[in-house]
Amino acid sequence: MGGPPLLSFPCELLALLLFLLCLQDFYKFDNIIVHSFAMVDQITEEKENALMPDISPSSAPQPFLPVLAPSPMATPFFNSSIPKLSGQCILNFSAVDSLISTTAVDCWTSFAPFLANVICCPQFQATLIILIGQSSKETGLLALDSTHANYCLSDIQQILGSQGANSDLQEICSVHPSNLSEGSCPVSDTDGFESVVDSSQLLTACGKVDPVNECCSKICQNAILEAARKLALRDGGLTTSMAINNTLIQHSSKIDSCRSIVLRWLSSRLDPSSAKQVLRRLSNCNVNGVCPLDFPDTKGVAKNCGNEIKNDTACCHAMENYVSHLQKQSFITNLQSLGCASLLGLKLQEMNVSTNIYSLCQISLKDFSLQVGTQESGCLLPSLPSDATFDPSSGISFTCDLNDNIAAPWPSASQASSSSCNKLVYTLSVRIFQWFNLNFKSC
């Protein structure tokens, strides 16, 4: 037929272009916004079901999906009460108005237990740090005494609750008045801090944090640790032997307390929005590095899938029944799902399950997360920090990465010791391979 000839690209160039697109996709995640959740009847489990662990409500949510947040006009459901403040807190809440509003949505009453690990608690803890940091511009203090810490934590909970947040955030996120104090750090004011720490060096390292590379390069994290070490060493705060041993320093209570002081000072030198970005990206390294799920006893799966599998159907039924209990706990990120899949696989291998039952039973990474209503599709949250949003017409929404349908990888010895950095590379490489295989088989 007539017309200009079709352009032809070498496969190598296509692969490069796809890699760049995949990196862009890593930031966007081809997001699907979940705008509605239908309330489903709470699933009643038989007490004699040995699969279910005995877990307290504070450690694992009950197996139902939260209802969509209603419009603020629906006064019977929307908590718009005026917060009852103590009048004794010295912190400047107006300096972090926007952060408080974001935290209230991230920790919305129905969603907080399900989003606690990935969104709610990191945001709540960042808000507390920034609140003290911003207030230090007026008070010069980077910590509160025990009396004011009690008042201020109660006040912030009251303010958040008045905007729709869960009333049990202190329990859900394990936050106590001591988290607002100086702990065992010998320095608790800005003058003392700046007389010990190289402020410009700290700001250079942490003024902006790379959302992808920081967890591996630890440029900011190392700068924070070095500053915390200097604070802890002030006035003989640590012995010489401890100063030499980095492992002891990193895990000492003084270092942990001084790390909090460093983060508060850093938050005082950045605007609240930038400080939030830095803190959430730092905490994200810890979030993605740990599987937050509670695993029930694997005996049922081992009985049907151990050694040589005699009945594939019985094995997969046992595995699907087991995974269904994981799907009632919480939303997790892409990287967390890799860690959870690896951890469960290793537990099963210890029970003499040698066959890759993830492949046999078609278990995907999404199967490890809370399932989204009647869609029967797990919602894997983005591995980068994200927030929920509130709209008067549609309620609470948050971003799910529902386009990733990656099979759960059966762990090998090398995967068992892999870090979150390696998991990130693994996720990207799998997506590139799948994308290339799907669209350019002719190459």
Side-chain angles (χ1 to χ4, degrees):
M1 307 297 290
L6 295 175
L7 294 176
S8 175
F9 292 93
C11 287
E12 292 80 359
L13 178 57
L14 286 173
L16 176 60
L17 290 172
L18 285 170
F19 177 74
L20 295 175
L21 285 171
C22 193
L23 286 178
Q24 181 184 28
D25 186 50
F26 176 74
Y27 285 94
K28 291 186 177 179
F29 283 104
D30 293 328
N31 294 323
I32 293 176
I33 305 297
V34 179
H35 282 297
S36 62
F37 288 85
M39 175 67 80
V40 297
D41 293 332
Q42 183 168 339
I43 300 172
T44 304
E45 298 291 343
E46 296 294 336
K47 290 184 179 180
E48 59 267 22
N49 188 345
L51 276 174
M52 281 302 291
D54 182 15
I55 304 172
S56 63
S58 62
S59 59
Q62 292 300 309
F64 64 86
L65 289 173
V67 69
L68 178 70
S71 165
M73 297 302 290
T75 53
F77 303 98
F78 186 81
N79 184 357
S80 57
S81 62
I82 298 175
K84 298 178 181 179
L85 304 183
S86 65
Q88 302 296 317
C89 181
I90 62 174
L91 299 179
N92 182 9
F93 293 109
S94 62
V96 293
D97 274 345
S98 178
L99 286 181
I100 290 176
S101 298
T102 300
T103 306
V105 174
D106 284 349
C107 300
W108 191 266
T109 177
S110 300
F111 283 86
F114 300 95
L115 296 174
N117 177 263
V118 179
I119 295 179
C120 171
C121 294
Q123 175 63 21
F124 181 41
Q125 291 158 355
T127 299
L128 293 175
I129 292 171
I130 297 168
L131 178 58
I132 297 177
Q134 290 293 312
S135 298
S136 72
K137 294 177 180 179
E138 301 172 3
T139 66
L141 300 176
L142 295 171
L144 303 178
D145 58 47
S146 58
T147 301
H148 285 99
N150 277 290
Y151 284 129
C152 292
L153 188 56
S154 175
D155 284 356
I156 188 65
Q157 177 69 77
Q158 285 286 323
I159 294 172
L160 289 170
S162 72
Q163 298 184 26
N166 193 292
S167 60
D168 295 322
L169 287 185
Q170 294 181 49
E171 181 179 355
I172 292 172
C173 299
S174 299
V175 172
H176 310 284
S178 59
N179 295 118
L180 279 65
S181 71
E182 75 273 14
S184 55
C185 187
V187 178
S188 60
D189 60 271
T190 54
D191 289 339
F193 181 96
E194 292 171 1
S195 69
V196 174
V197 174
D198 186 337
S199 304
S200 61
Q201 186 177 13
L202 180 61
L203 279 173
T204 299
C206 297
K208 290 184 179 180
V209 171
D210 189 299
V212 177
N213 295 323
E214 173 61 29
C215 297
C216 301
S217 65
K218 297 186 177 182
I219 292 174
C220 178
Q221 293 173 79
N222 288 337
I224 291 171
L225 179 60
E226 178 62 23
R229 179 190 292 119
K230 290 180 178 179
L231 294 178
L233 284 168
R234 184 182 177 183
D235 302 327
L238 290 175
T239 63
T240 304
S241 59
M242 288 186 70
I244 295 174
N245 192 325
N246 286 331
T247 302
L248 286 175
I249 284 183
Q250 195 164 356
H251 292 88
S252 72
S253 60
K254 270 193 173 61
I255 289 294
D256 289 337
S257 295
C258 290
R259 185 184 282 111
S260 296
I261 298 294
V262 175
L263 293 176
R264 293 169 195 165
W265 180 89
L266 188 60
S267 298
S268 73
R269 293 301 180 267
L270 302 172
D271 63 86
S273 178
S274 298
K276 175 211 164 179
Q277 187 181 70
V278 167
L279 295 177
R280 288 291 301 276
R281 288 176 177 179
L282 290 175
S283 66
N284 212 49
C285 296
N286 296 326
V287 167
N288 284 318
V290 177
C291 173
L293 302 181
D294 292 301
F295 291 101
D297 198 322
T298 57
K299 289 180 180 178
V301 179
K303 179 181 178 181
N304 290 280
C305 305
N307 300 315
E308 292 185 9
I309 300 176
K310 298 178 181 178
N311 188 325
D312 289 358
T313 302
C315 169
C316 289
H317 178 74
M319 185 60 190
E320 289 163 4
N321 186 34
Y322 184 94
V323 171
S324 70
H325 295 301
L326 303 180
Q327 295 170 349
K328 300 166 187 174
Q329 294 188 28
S330 66
F331 292 110
I332 61 176
T333 70
N334 289 298
L335 289 181
Q336 283 180 322
S337 69
L338 282 167
C340 292
S342 178
L343 185 57
L344 176 58
L346 292 172
K347 287 179 177 290
L348 292 172
Q349 288 176 0
E350 291 174 357
M351 299 291 289
N352 296 319
V353 178
S354 56
T355 301
N356 180 354
I357 57 176
Y358 290 166
S359 176
L360 177 67
C361 304
Q362 296 183 323
I363 303 297
S364 71
L365 291 176
K366 289 188 292 186
D367 290 326
F368 288 85
S369 188
L370 191 72
Q371 301 299 289
V372 182
T374 57
Q375 298 178 46
E376 296 183 354
S377 179
C379 171
L380 288 178
L381 298 173
S383 298
L384 299 179
S386 61
D387 293 300
T389 58
F390 176 78
D391 182 83
S393 60
S394 59
I396 298 292
S397 63
F398 50 89
T399 304
C400 291
D401 183 13
L402 294 179
N403 285 344
D404 269 341
N405 196 24
I406 299 175
W410 189 248
S412 63
S414 60
Q415 287 175 332
S417 60
S418 66
S419 67
S420 59
C421 304
N422 294 331
K423 291 174 186 174
L424 176 60
V425 173
Y426 171 80
T427 303
L428 286 174
S429 63
V430 167
R431 294 186 65 170
I432 294 167
F433 175 78
Q434 289 184 335
W435 194 349
F436 189 87
N437 224 25
L438 181 64
N439 295 287
F440 295 94
K441 291 180 180 178
S442 60
C443 286

